[in-house]
């Protein structure tokens, strides 16, 4: 064991403790996979990352991403949170235009948008879900077929079943059977577009919750993500799913090319994911990151 620099950051929020926390070990050198997995299980956060020297000459650093139960090839909030921690620890990108993070899915460009960071969504593979699997997932979520407007299998490293539901109230009222989802081995993200009354109601609630400080921006898409198969029943704010959902929803005309998604209400969080598709068709997924803990870890 040795002393290693460590940060715990909050991602997709400008207000500490309202987003999705991430543990970052800034020097993961000479740790094996079992040691990384054991520490990720101990932190019990949705993800823990370990930064390493890059093996690709085009990258600024390399990251390995672990949930309490397994390693992930890619995930969104660890991408932004790891980049924030690397920069805060004195990391110097090779390019003035962007930071390049190496992960198991390849090189992920990250750009600075003022104080906010944004990553380029990895290429998406999508397809229609099997009707039988969709029916079983709907049953585990307590949904009727009429409540599902559209469904897609979304794969950008992690594989999600994405469900566009009839309204925000349905999304927020879900009480999934997490054991059934784990047995199915299926991560599920659900989304809905707020109507005007819901948007006003949420804005009023946020104004009260954030009395004395700026409330988060209103949202154009409400999101929840359930990931029991990897040991996380509900993820507070999910970059990988928001990335793939944005590519799907924009391409199919359900959402505009630029919008803000909100996630975490049911967990007492208030994450904000900033989505924008550029002129080349690349979807950028942005969010604020704040450092909550900085110090050292014996590992």
């Amino acid at each position: 064991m040795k002393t290693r620099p460590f940060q715990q950051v909050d991602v997709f929020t400008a207000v500490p403790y309202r987003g999705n926390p991430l543990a970052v070990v800034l020097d993961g050198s000479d740790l094996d996979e079992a040691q990384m997995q054991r520490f990720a299980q101990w932190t019990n956060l949705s993800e823990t990352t370990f930064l390493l020297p890059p093996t690709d000459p085009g990258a600024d650093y390399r990251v390995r991403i672990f949930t309490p139960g397994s390693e992930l090839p890619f995930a969104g909030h660890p991408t932004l949170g790891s980049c924030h921690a690397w920069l805060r620890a004195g990391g110097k990108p090779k390019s003035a235009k962007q930071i390049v993070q190496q992960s198991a899915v390849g090189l992920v460009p990250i750009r600075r948008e003022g104080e906010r960071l944004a990553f380029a969504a990895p290429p998406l593979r999508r397809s229609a879900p099997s009707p039988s699997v969709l029916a079983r997932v709907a049953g585990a979520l307590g949904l009727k077929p009429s409540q599902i407007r559209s469904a897609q299998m979304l794969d950008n490293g992690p594989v999600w079943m994405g469900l566009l539901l009839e309204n925000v109230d349905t999304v927020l009222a879900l009480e999934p059977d997490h054991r059934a989802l784990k047995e199915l081995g299926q991560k599920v993200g659900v989304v809905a577009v707020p109507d005007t009354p819901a948007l006003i109601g949420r804005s009023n609630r946020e104004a009260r919750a954030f009395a004395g400080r700026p409330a988060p921006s209103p949202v154009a898409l409400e999101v929840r993500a359930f990931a029991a198969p990897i040991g996380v029943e509900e993820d507070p704010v999910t970059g990988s799913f928001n990335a793939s959902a944005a590519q799907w929803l924009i391409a199919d005309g359900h959402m505009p090319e630029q919008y803000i998604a909100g996630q975490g209400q049911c967990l007492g969080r208030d994450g904000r994911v900033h989505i924008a598709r550029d002129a080349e068709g690349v979807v950028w997924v942005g969010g604020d990151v704040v450092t909550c803990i900085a110090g050292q870890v014996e590992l």
Side-chain angles (χ1 to χ4, degrees):
M1 297 182 73
K2 72 178 186 182
T3 301
R4 303 170 192 268
F6 174 83
Q7 292 182 37
Q8 190 160 313
V9 300
D10 208 10
V11 186
F12 293 120
T13 180
V15 180
Y17 318 117
R18 300 292 290 184
N20 197 356
L22 174 74
V24 184
V25 177
L26 287 119
D27 174 15
S29 59
D30 65 43
L31 289 173
D32 62 28
E33 183 174 322
Q35 290 172 306
M36 292 180 182
Q37 184 64 74
R38 190 178 306 116
F39 185 67
Q41 185 180 42
W42 180 82
T43 67
N44 201 35
L45 297 176
S46 56
E47 278 100 3
T48 298
T49 63
F50 301 84
L51 304 191
L52 299 155
T55 58
D56 188 307
D60 291 304
Y61 62 90
R62 181 163 64 100
V63 64
R64 295 186 68 177
I65 304 167
F66 288 80
T67 74
S70 63
E71 185 171 6
L72 296 179
F74 168 76
H77 102 273
T79 293
L80 297 186
S82 296
C83 182
H84 171 90
W86 182 77
L87 290 170
R88 189 177 186 273
K92 303 294 184 184
K94 296 172 183 176
S95 168
K97 294 182 178 180
Q98 64 182 14
I99 304 102
V100 180
Q101 177 176 286
Q102 180 185 358
S103 67
V105 297
L107 301 183
V108 180
I110 304 168
R111 66 186 186 187
R112 296 186 236 210
E113 299 175 341
E115 294 298 315
R116 188 177 298 138
L117 295 170
F119 67 85
L124 175 67
R125 296 174 294 277
R126 65 184 180 108
S127 59
S130 154
S132 61
V133 174
L134 176 58
R136 294 172 70 187
V137 167
L141 295 175
L143 288 169
K144 300 174 183 177
S146 61
Q147 294 175 297
I148 302 174
R149 290 180 53 197
S150 185
Q152 286 278 280
M153 296 303 301
L154 307 168
D155 180 357
N156 60 4
V159 179
W160 294 89
M161 178 183 285
L163 302 178
L164 174 62
L165 303 188
E166 57 180 353
N167 58 51
V168 167
D169 288 342
T170 300
V171 169
L172 297 179
L174 290 176
E175 296 182 1
D177 182 341
H178 296 291
R179 182 175 179 179
L181 292 176
K182 185 173 183 178
E183 290 173 354
L184 284 167
Q186 186 61 66
K187 301 196 298 294
V188 184
V190 294
V191 303
V193 179
D195 55 22
T196 302
L199 196 60
I200 293 172
R202 175 169 177 153
S203 295
N204 289 341
R205 290 193 299 275
E206 289 167 345
R208 291 192 295 271
F210 285 80
R213 57 190 176 187
S217 304
V219 304
L221 190 74
E222 193 72 44
V223 179
R224 293 179 74 184
F226 308 112
I230 60 170
V232 180
E233 289 190 349
E234 180 166 0
D235 194 41
V237 200
T238 316
S240 64
F241 174 66
N242 272 284
S244 57
Q247 289 165 303
W248 159 42
L249 297 170
I250 294 171
D252 286 6
H254 296 296
M255 294 300 294
E257 292 193 337
Q258 187 168 330
Y259 67 87
I260 299 173
Q263 189 178 347
Q265 271 204 81
C266 295
L267 298 175
R269 312 290 175 81
D270 233 320
R272 290 292 184 274
V273 183
H274 297 254
I275 299 293
R277 187 168 72 173
D278 66 20
E280 285 72 44
V282 177
V283 171
W284 291 87
V285 181
D288 294 292
V289 186
V290 289
T291 303
C292 298
I293 300 170
Q296 298 175 327
V297 60
E298 298 293 324
L299 186 60

